[in-house]
Amino acid sequence: MGAGSSFFLSNEDMGKKDDDHKPTRLPPIRTWNAARVPPRKSLKRLFIAFVVCAAIYLFIKNIPTDVGVHDRRRPVYTHNLDNELLEPQSMPRLKPIEPIQPPKTPAKSKSPPSDPSTDNLYDGPVVFPDLAVSLQAIYSTRGSYAKNKNVLFAASSLKSAAALLPLACQMGMELRSYVHFALMSKSEISLDELRSVNGIDDSCKIIFHDARPNLAASSTNTRLGTGVARAMFHINSYMHPQAVLVDGSEAEEGYFLDAMRSQTSEIPFNLIDLPEKGRKRLGWITKLDSSALAAWNKVRIDIVIHAPPDGAGNLMRLLKSLSAADYSACAIPHLTIELPNKLDPHTENFLENFQWPPALVGNPTGIRQFTLRHRISRSTMTEEESSIRLLESFWPVDPHYSHVLVLSPQAQLSPRFFHYLKYSVLQYSESATAVYQEWDSRLLGISLDLPSTYLNGTTAFEPPAPKKKGADKQTSSHSDSSTPFLWQSPNSNAVLYMGPKWIELHDMVSRLLAIQHKTPADSLPAFFSEKSISKRYPSWLEHALKLSRARGYWTIYPSKFMASSLAVIHNELSSSPEEYRSEELPDGPADASEISLASGPLLESLPAGDFMASFSDMPLLLWDGTETTLRDLDDEAVKYTEEFHRAVGGCDQLEADELMSRPKSTRDLFCSKD
């Protein structure tokens, strides 16, 4: 057996071979002469060495220099991680020296009719003569992976292309995603001419794709629709776009929109229909990265309003502001109103004619996203009943994507409040930076208003000053120097609570009530009965504060300027929560002058006219309003959890892993195994 065959023998075989076939001992060689290597073998070895050296040289020379270091560590929350670390690398470039040839057109294809009266009747095979070159050149965008940073704008009508290209340009310049534009028009305009007419240059960082079929100008709409579907199949195979943005207005071709919408059931891509004047109304969409856009159609928001026994004017004003809001390109939220036992006649008449979804919002299916819940009991609600009634008004279908907006009847919302909420949820929960740093693990809610007092209900609230480190980032054209901030204190005026935290709050209230029911009132630890929040606020907010303090959660509050663009809380006709109406409460601070809601696009209200500040740029406050750091917040959470355990008792009988916090559960706080 030759020496080369020993590479295919196992260790056991090698041992047996050595034992059974030991070589004989040869006599020593007295003289040694160097063996001559045939010239042919020398040339062969030199040639192989040359080829190896050349390959190594070419490999080193062509090593890509634009690929960042891939960090495979488990994502953890990093308070000071810069967003720029997650930006896409340099845009891929086409290689004109050695272009990749597109698939050959069939030699004999059905030619279009030459009779002018029979234009647009060609219905032959669909071929894309120019699509393969650009698709095969985007390999560096990792389009073969289901998760990537590709975002696609697509258009058929030239008017729609003109509306989309400025948005695509702005998004490309943000350098958060690889931005592509696909033209699927019957027009014979060249891509260079399309770029020139719409003022698009290389600074826009857009990758263009000509996805028009052959003989598009003389094709039937059916063939063009088929071409759109087939083009999306090829584009998805090479690109896997995280989101596909199209013009959903009447300016776009019907066959194009129909084909795109039907393809969403065949190919798993997220289609975003932009409304008319989308650049003005949804300009903030360009600030979102591909990861956030991928969740655009998944995020759902419900609205819950707890109506008081009186104050019909406040409720009607709130509902009117909800009807006037802009819900373009978003799923209409489900509205639930909790009504008292005795209904005011004015409220009853108003609700009979109230329409939801609003008449101005397209609702082709006619689904009524509206629920009224009328209370049966005539007695005044207790703290327990009030908390249960509010919390039972909502349960998230999908905890990760389903959230609830709790509104006080004293609130009045601006037309753009829903855009702010959607942008905030996508930016702080679904963006690549948020996912990497696990921002949603601490995010309890997103407030629409700036509180007027601290939780004691008597001391006027003073917003924190901007952090010095982020002073440059917070500087804007507005004279207001306030900043958005993170506060451990929850809110009940107008705040969006995240789905997972709402489930956790449900679990906490359920366990607290169980302890209160089985423990005599005189034996109940003071920890469970003492209040840290004024009775000007509803009783369920006390439970939300306990959860926030034990877990180290926070709520995002807007800057003063932003708050004036989102919501106004009218306190001139306000009244105490029903469960506290029999008690006399101390007077609060004098009401400030009435604030009118600002108008204009949402993008103008964002910090520096740009995207929202990261968590590391926002001041952080403890529940009592004291400015703190992340480390001190965690230390306070540990102390409060220990206090919680002492009040519950029995924690020393559990193992350490049984006291570890788990998602959507508070059993560790109550030292419970179930």
Side-chain angles (χ1 to χ4, degrees):
M1 183 181 294
S5 63
S6 63
F7 287 101
F8 302 97
L9 296 176
S10 65
N11 292 336
E12 182 179 355
D13 294 336
M14 288 291 291
K16 186 177 184 303
K17 178 179 177 65
D18 292 341
D19 293 338
D20 298 343
H21 305 283
K22 292 183 178 180
T24 57
R25 185 176 186 85
L26 298 177
I29 301 176
R30 298 179 180 178
T31 60
W32 177 85
N33 295 321
R36 295 186 179 181
V37 180
R40 186 173 298 176
K41 289 187 177 181
S42 298
L43 292 175
K44 183 178 180 180
R45 292 176 180 176
L46 289 174
F47 176 75
I48 293 175
F50 175 78
V51 171
V52 171
C53 293
I56 294 175
Y57 170 76
L58 292 175
F59 174 76
I60 295 175
K61 182 178 181 181
N62 291 277
I63 289 179
T65 58
D66 59 345
V67 179
V69 177
H70 189 120
D71 192 347
R72 298 182 179 272
R73 296 173 297 176
R74 179 182 179 274
V76 294
Y77 178 83
T78 307
H79 198 55
N80 294 315
L81 184 64
D82 200 346
N83 290 345
E84 283 74 14
L85 293 177
L86 298 170
E87 293 179 356
Q89 305 299 324
S90 60
M91 192 174 72
R93 300 177 181 178
L94 302 180
K95 297 183 178 181
I97 299 178
E98 297 180 359
I100 302 174
Q101 297 298 327
K104 294 182 179 180
T105 305
K108 292 182 179 180
S109 60
K110 183 179 177 182
S111 59
S114 58
D115 186 357
S117 63
T118 60
D119 286 349
N120 302 328
L121 293 181
Y122 178 60
D123 198 22
V126 175
V127 179
F128 302 97
D130 302 312
L131 184 58
V133 175
S134 58
L135 287 183
Q136 295 184 28
I138 63 171
Y139 58 89
S140 61
T141 66
R142 301 175 65 86
S144 59
Y145 293 85
K147 295 287 186 180
N148 54 60
K149 296 183 179 181
N150 292 318
V151 176
L152 174 67
F153 288 79
S156 176
S157 166
L158 294 184
K159 290 184 179 179
S160 296
L164 292 177
L165 280 171
L167 281 173
C169 179
Q170 182 62 40
M171 185 179 293
M173 295 175 68
E174 295 293 333
L175 295 178
R176 292 186 179 88
S177 306
Y178 293 113
V179 179
H180 305 258
F181 185 90
L183 183 64
M184 304 179 184
S185 173
K186 64 170 59 178
S187 171
E188 297 180 349
I189 187 174
S190 66
L191 292 183
D192 289 339
E193 185 178 356
L194 181 69
R195 288 162 49 100
S196 176
V197 169
N198 291 280
I200 304 299
D201 54 24
D202 293 340
S203 65
C204 291
K205 307 296 182 184
I206 301 176
I207 307 171
F208 281 85
H209 304 274
D210 192 338
R212 291 172 289 186
N214 62 323
L215 305 174
S218 55
S219 297
T220 63
N221 285 348
T222 301
R223 182 177 186 268
L224 291 173
T226 302
V228 171
R230 297 307 300 168
M232 282 306 303
F233 173 80
H234 294 302
I235 289 173
N236 187 70
S237 299
Y238 282 86
M239 189 189 302
H240 284 93
Q242 304 301 285
V244 180
L245 290 83
V246 299
D247 179 15
S249 69
E250 296 180 354
E252 187 54 276
E253 300 287 353
Y255 69 83
F256 171 80
L257 293 177
D258 292 342
M260 277 290 190
R261 290 163 183 165
S262 64
Q263 279 299 102
T264 56
S265 60
E266 302 291 337
I267 304 174
F269 66 86
N270 298 285
L271 183 64
I272 302 177
D273 285 357
L274 298 178
E276 187 177 1
K277 299 180 181 179
R279 182 184 181 186
K280 180 179 180 180
R281 298 164 67 182
L282 295 177
W284 49 268
I285 200 173
T286 62
K287 310 300 179 182
L288 298 172
D289 63 13
S290 58
S291 179
L293 291 173
W296 181 275
N297 294 321
K298 300 176 183 178
V299 172
R300 293 291 183 271
I301 295 176
D302 284 28
I303 300 176
V304 172
I305 302 173
H306 198 165
D310 52 13
N314 286 337
L315 180 61
M316 289 188 288
R317 178 178 54 207
L318 171 59
L319 294 179
K320 288 178 180 178
S321 68
L322 280 173
S323 297
D326 186 0
Y327 302 98
S328 55
C330 303
I332 302 299
H334 186 278
L335 174 61
T336 300
I337 302 178
E338 296 284 349
L339 298 174
N341 173 263
K342 186 177 181 180
L343 199 59
D344 184 276
H346 298 287
T347 303
E348 187 173 3
N349 293 334
F350 180 83
L351 292 176
E352 287 179 358
N353 301 309
F354 180 71
Q355 183 176 349
W356 189 266
L360 297 178
V361 178
N363 185 25
T365 59
I367 298 178
R368 185 172 170 82
Q369 302 271 51
F370 187 33
T371 300
L372 291 175
R373 296 184 59 189
H374 181 260
R375 193 167 89 239
I376 294 178
S377 176
R378 290 176 174 269
S379 60
T380 301
M381 287 194 301
T382 63
E383 290 184 350
E384 178 179 325
E385 292 171 341
S386 177
S387 299
I388 291 176
R389 187 167 178 81
L390 188 281
L391 292 175
E392 288 182 347
S393 300
F394 169 76
W395 183 260
V397 177
D398 184 341
H400 184 76
Y401 296 110
S402 185
H403 316 291
V404 59
L405 173 62
V406 179
L407 293 175
S408 165
Q410 280 75 40
Q412 180 183 2
L413 306 177
S414 77
R416 58 187 177 185
F417 88 92
F418 200 72
H419 287 183
Y420 173 82
L421 286 181
K422 182 135 189 182
Y423 182 32
S424 300
V425 170
L426 293 174
Q427 176 70 12
Y428 292 124
S429 180
E430 306 298 336
S431 67
T433 307
V435 172
Y436 184 88
Q437 301 187 44
E438 297 182 350
W439 284 358
D440 61 336
S441 64
R442 290 182 178 267
L443 183 57
L444 176 68
I446 302 170
S447 177
L448 291 173
D449 81 303
L450 197 63
S452 58
T453 66
Y454 290 96
L455 293 180
N456 58 21
T458 56
T459 307
F461 177 74
E462 297 182 4
K467 294 179 66 174
K468 293 182 179 180
K469 182 178 179 180
D472 295 338
K473 294 183 179 181
Q474 298 294 336
T475 303
S476 67
S477 58
H478 309 301
S479 58
D480 174 53
S481 59
S482 66
T483 175
F485 58 95
L486 307 172
W487 193 8
Q488 201 175 19
S489 167
N491 192 1
S492 61
N493 290 331
V495 61
L496 180 80
Y497 283 93
M498 311 304 289
K501 306 305 184 292
W502 191 263
I503 294 177
E504 202 170 350
L505 182 59
H506 264 247
D507 185 69
M508 182 178 191
V509 173
S510 174
R511 295 176 185 275
L512 278 173
L513 295 180
I515 290 178
Q516 293 176 0
H517 288 170
K518 70 180 182 181
T519 305
D522 55 353
S523 302
L524 188 68
F527 177 83
F528 296 116
S529 58
E530 64 183 6
K531 294 186 67 65
S532 302
I533 297 181
S534 168
K535 293 184 179 180
R536 293 181 179 276
Y537 299 97
S539 56
W540 64 268
L541 198 63
E542 187 75 39
H543 301 305
L545 177 61
K546 280 184 168 62
L547 177 64
S548 184
R549 293 183 64 184
R551 297 298 198 210
Y553 293 159
W554 55 53
T555 299
I556 301 176
Y557 286 86
S559 66
K560 185 177 181 180
F561 182 88
M562 173 65 82
S564 67
S565 304
L566 299 174
V568 170
I569 307 301
H570 297 273
N571 294 318
E572 64 275 9
L573 298 177
S574 64
S575 57
S576 302
E578 182 179 351
E579 59 267 34
Y580 300 129
R581 291 200 171 184
S582 60
E583 304 181 27
E584 291 187 8
L585 303 178
D587 296 332
D591 291 338
S593 58
E594 184 68 21
I595 300 176
S596 59
L597 290 171
S599 59
L602 174 64
L603 204 59
E604 295 180 358
S605 300
L606 298 179
D610 198 357
F611 57 96
M612 294 183 181
S614 64
F615 284 179
S616 60
D617 292 331
M618 298 186 198
L620 179 60
L621 306 181
L622 291 174
W623 69 277
D624 59 0
T626 305
E627 194 160 353
T628 186
T629 63
L630 181 62
R631 183 183 298 274
D632 291 340
L633 179 71
D634 290 338
D635 292 341
E636 291 295 326
V638 171
K639 294 178 182 178
Y640 190 78
T641 299
E642 293 175 350
E643 184 179 354
F644 211 116
H645 287 167
R646 286 194 296 270
V648 171
C651 297
D652 54 348
Q653 301 177 5
L654 300 181
E655 300 293 336
D657 61 334
E658 294 175 326
L659 293 175
M660 297 291 293
S661 62
R662 289 170 174 80
K664 297 179 288 187
S665 175
T666 58
R667 71 179 189 178
D668 59 294
L669 294 178
F670 293 86
C671 304
S672 174
K673 295 184 178 182
D674 59 353

